[in-house]
């Protein structure tokens, strides 16, 4: 994204306190032009407050907000070139769909003929052409959501702020609207800032995700980066299931680092994953469940082999979920694709097994973040 | 299935039956009776006779149109004053009062804990010619040539405004309170400044409350006689004073009844026009 000059949105040391509570704690980030940016985190992590500060509905206690290089920290919402899709949609109940969508254009004194054309286009974009003369309460939740989107997008803002826009919808509709949102974002090319607590939603839609926790950004990166190389246990756990093992560095080579687990197994981790830890340093090594392979005892080969016994196995058709207890007492979750067609005979519950994984599938998380 | 449905329908009727019976006995029948009385002729001593005396209506209007117009003027001014005072108050209670909300609501309805009459008598004492309020008003030059507050139209209108203020505050409060505040945020997000957001979102959504509040204030104010009686003089008398004296002092029952019907008819016409002007949707929502 280096080819873009000033980022659409830049936060510099943003802090928001409500009384004694710190909702957002020294957040700095840059959102490049035309990107689909997601802020992901559990409720109370500060993501909505951050979004509301970008929209102008909350004043930051400290820090600076810039839109396209211009300081807007103290600029009221009606003079900011961003529009919000509210979680509750906040459609004006006394106005028709058409007049809801036209509201912003009318305030901006866009000539009537042009406004009418743009409203029609926006409604077409969200597939609600026939609904122009209805009132919001005559529409379903999903339709109302689209009106809220059209009402924001019709203004062609610099950025669109979406506050859990799909939170109130059922799963099927949510998936459908996720696809539609990504399509619309591509079509109009406006920067989207999307707040959600649903990791799948964030991963499937966004090109950059900021994972937030306790008012801070835990990690910022592409979905793949966050999933494959999380830097904290919180991120590792929030973006899917993960296996974390305590280990101590015993040797550093140019390409791999050797570590010992508590039960004496020797692990090899790609060297670029282990920053700075000297010999004797304690780390937590993580591996995603689908990266682990199971084999009957003695039949495994590879650099990283852990011995354990299967405590649980659930066959789900496409895949099988295993839980393996290692000799050190760690519990590993393993997802095995059902590509061989064999059942649970060889590696069913109670069996001794070897768990193997590749050094390049490992990641290392910071030791101090074990609160997740 | 059909039996069940019929039973359900019967239950519905059964539920409205007490109300209908009550209204028939205590409202519809007396109303018809008074309509009948208004067309009688006679006097208090010799008694009244049914006479289909329709000219009582034009007679009543030509005799008392002054009090009628004065009633409309006083009630309208008081309603506007109530609205001007009540809207900011209701807005504050609904959006800004926080934990003081319930206390403020209590204070608004607190006057109802004493009788309307007693409160107006209290105002008579407060505004009395030898009271300190008049002294202050005099020294500020607010009383004009009469040096009085009592027996002025200011006192009567102020009394009506005071007495009916809660009827304006409460419906406005209810309509503002149930409004989703995100709508105001949405309006400001869509480039409306605070004033425009108020004009285009808050006020239209408060219209059911405005409608209910103005009706609840204007209608009883129009027929009021206590304020003019206690805070005014005969030159401030309203149509309510005339009806009251025709019924209880002059005992010209046909005239009193005719005036009541004229007042009722005028109110019905006024409400209809008002509802038309505000839009029927507001009326429906106000009633619902």
């Amino acid at each position: 994204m280096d080819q873009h000059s000033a980022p659409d949105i830049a936060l510099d040391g943003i802090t928001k306190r409500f009384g004694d509570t710190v909702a957002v704690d020294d957040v700095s980030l840059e959102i490049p032009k035309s990107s689909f940016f997601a802020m992901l985190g559990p409720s109370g992590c500060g993501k909505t407050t951050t979004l509301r500060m970008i929209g102008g509905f909350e004043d930051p206690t400290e820090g600076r907000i810039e839109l396209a290089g211009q300081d807007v920290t103290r600029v009221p919402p009606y003079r900011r070139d961003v529009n919000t899709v509210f979680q509750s949609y906040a459609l004006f109940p006394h106005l028709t769909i058409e007049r809801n969508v036209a509201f912003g254009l009318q305030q901006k004194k866009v000539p009537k003929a042009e406004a009418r054309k743009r409203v029609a286009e926006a409604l077409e974009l969200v597939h609600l052409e026939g609904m122009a003369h209805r009132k919001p309460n005559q529409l379903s939740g999903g339709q109302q959501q689209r009106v809220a989107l059209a009402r924001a997008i019709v203004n062609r803002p610099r950025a669109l702020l979406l506050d859990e826009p799909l939170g109130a919808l059922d799963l099927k509709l949510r998936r459908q609207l996720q696809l539609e949102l990504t399509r619309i974002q591509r079509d109009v090319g406006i920067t989207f800032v999307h707040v959600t607590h649903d990791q799948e939603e964030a991963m499937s839609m966004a090109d950059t995700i900021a994972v937030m926790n306790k008012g801070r950004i835990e990690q910022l990166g592409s979905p793949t980066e966050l999933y494959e190389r999380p830097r904290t246990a919180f991120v590792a756990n929030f973006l899917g299931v993960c296996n974390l093992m305590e280990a101590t560095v015993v040797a550093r080579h140019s390409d791999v680092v050797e570590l010992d687990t508590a039960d004496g197994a020797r692990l090899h981790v790609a060297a670029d994953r282990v920053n700075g830890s000297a010999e004797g340093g304690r780390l937590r090594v993580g591996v995603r469940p689908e990266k682990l392979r199971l084999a009957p005892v003695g039949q495994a080969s590879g650099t990283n082999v852990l011995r354990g016994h299967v405590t649980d196995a659930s066959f789900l058709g496409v895949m099988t979920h295993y839980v393996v207890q290692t000799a050190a007492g760690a519990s590993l979750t393993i997802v095995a694709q059902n590509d061989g067609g064999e059942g649970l005979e060889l590696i069913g519950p109670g069996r001794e097994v070897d768990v193997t994984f590749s050094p390049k599938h490992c990641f290392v998380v910071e030791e101090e973040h074990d609160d997740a | 299935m059909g039996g069940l449905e019929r039973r359900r329908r019967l239950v519905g009727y059964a539920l409205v039956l007490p109300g209908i019976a009550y209204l028939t006995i205590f409202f519809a029948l007396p109303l018809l009776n008074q309509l009948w009385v208004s067309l009688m002729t006679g006097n208090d001593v010799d008694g009244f006779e049914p006479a289909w005396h329709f000219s009582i209506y034009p007679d009543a209007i030509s005799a008392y149109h002054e009090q009628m117009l004065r009633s409309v003027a006083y009630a309208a001014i008081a309603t506007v004053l109530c609205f001007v005072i009540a809207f900011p108050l209701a807005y504050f209670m609904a959006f800004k009062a926080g934990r003081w909300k319930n206390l403020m609501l209590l204070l608004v309805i607190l006057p109802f804990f004493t009788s309307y009459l007693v409160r107006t008598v209290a105002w008579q004492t407060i505004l009395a010619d030898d009271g300190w309020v008049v002294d202050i008003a005099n020294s500020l030059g607010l009383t004009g040539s009469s040096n009085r507050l009592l027996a002025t139209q200011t006192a009567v209108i102020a009394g009506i405004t005071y007495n009916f203020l809660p009827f304006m505050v409460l419906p406005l409060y209810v309509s503002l309170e149930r409004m989703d505040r995100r709508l105001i945020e949405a309006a400001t997000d869509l480039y409306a400044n605070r004033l425009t957001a108020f004009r285009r979102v808050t006020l239209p959504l408060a219209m059911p409350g405005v409608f209910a509040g103005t009706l609840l204030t204007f209608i009883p104010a129009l027929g009021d006689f206590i304020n003019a009686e206690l805070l005014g003089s005969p030159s401030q008398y309203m149509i309510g004073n005339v009806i009251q004296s025709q019924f209880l002092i002059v005992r010209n029952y046909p005239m009193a009844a005719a005036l009541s019907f004229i007042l009722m008819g005028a109110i019905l016409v006024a409400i209809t026009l008002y509802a038309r002007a505000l839009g029927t949707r507001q009326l429906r929502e106000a009633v619902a």
Side-chain angles (χ1 to χ4, degrees), chain B residues 259-272:
Chain B
L259 284 168
S260 302
F261 277 103
I262 292 168
L263 182 63
M264 210 168 79
I267 289 173
L268 283 175
V269 171
I271 293 177
T272 311

Side-chain angles (χ1 to χ4, degrees), chain A residues 52 57 77-78 80 82-84 86 88 90-94 103-104 106-108 135 151 155, chain B residues 180 182-194 196-197 199-202 204-205 281:
Chain A
R52 288 173 60 79
F57 305 114
Y78 52 89
R80 291 190 191 199
V82 293
N83 289 114
T84 306
F86 292 88
S88 51
L91 300 180
F92 305 122
H94 58 301
F103 196 94
Q106 215 173 334
Q107 298 309 315
K108 282 208 291 192
K135 288 284 182 68
R151 187 176 68 171
N155 305 296
Chain B
D180 180 2
R182 297 249 163 182
L183 295 175
I184 302 173
E185 284 190 351
T188 59
D189 185 67
L190 295 164
Y191 318 112
N193 60 31
R194 301 220 146 254
T196 314
R199 197 169 47 78
R200 298 233 18 225
V201 177
T202 313
L205 289 173
R281 187 180 61 84

Side-chain angles (χ1 to χ4, degrees), chain A residues 84-243:
Chain A
T84 306
V85 176
F86 292 88
Q87 184 171 14
S88 51
Y89 317 140
L91 300 180
F92 305 122
H94 58 301
L95 301 180
T96 59
I97 299 312
E98 193 174 35
R99 297 190 57 193
N100 261 283
V101 177
F103 196 94
L105 298 178
Q106 215 173 334
Q107 298 309 315
K108 282 208 291 192
K109 308 268 184 293
V110 172
K112 275 220 173 88
E114 193 200 333
R116 199 166 305 139
K117 189 169 143 266
R118 275 167 70 175
V119 167
E121 280 169 9
L123 287 177
E124 200 178 326
L125 188 72
V126 297
H127 304 309
L128 285 177
E129 298 92 331
M131 306 287 178
H133 299 292
R134 300 214 188 160
K135 288 284 182 68
N137 63 9
Q138 295 171 295
L139 265 54
S140 71
Q143 289 171 327
Q144 289 185 24
Q145 207 285 325
R146 289 160 200 239
V147 175
L149 188 65
R151 187 176 68 171
I153 245 171
V154 74
N155 305 296
R156 297 177 191 152
R158 177 160 299 281
L160 205 65
L161 311 177
L162 302 109
D163 183 9
E164 303 252 7
L166 311 177
L169 305 173
D170 61 56
L171 189 69
K172 201 175 154 211
L173 199 54
R174 207 151 70 210
R175 294 277 173 261
Q176 183 196 332
L177 279 168
Q178 280 172 12
L179 292 175
E180 218 161 304
L181 266 180
T182 16
R183 168 185 68 82
I184 288 169
Q185 199 268 339
R186 269 200 313 272
D187 284 2
V188 297
I190 295 174
T191 305
F192 274 34
V193 184
H194 183 113
V195 156
T196 180
H197 64 269
D198 180 341
Q199 45 97 9
E200 262 184 59
E201 189 173 301
M203 297 213 322
S204 66
M205 297 167 82
D207 39 53
T208 312
I209 301 173
V211 181
M212 292 189 70
N213 184 29
K214 295 179 180 164
R216 291 177 157 273
I217 295 182
E218 285 264 337
Q219 191 173 348
L220 190 147
S222 70
T224 342
E225 215 174 308
L226 293 176
Y227 185 78
E228 302 296 354
R229 299 175 66 174
R231 280 202 302 268
T232 67
F234 178 82
V235 175
N237 284 310
F238 203 80
L239 273 84
V241 181
C242 97
N243 298 299

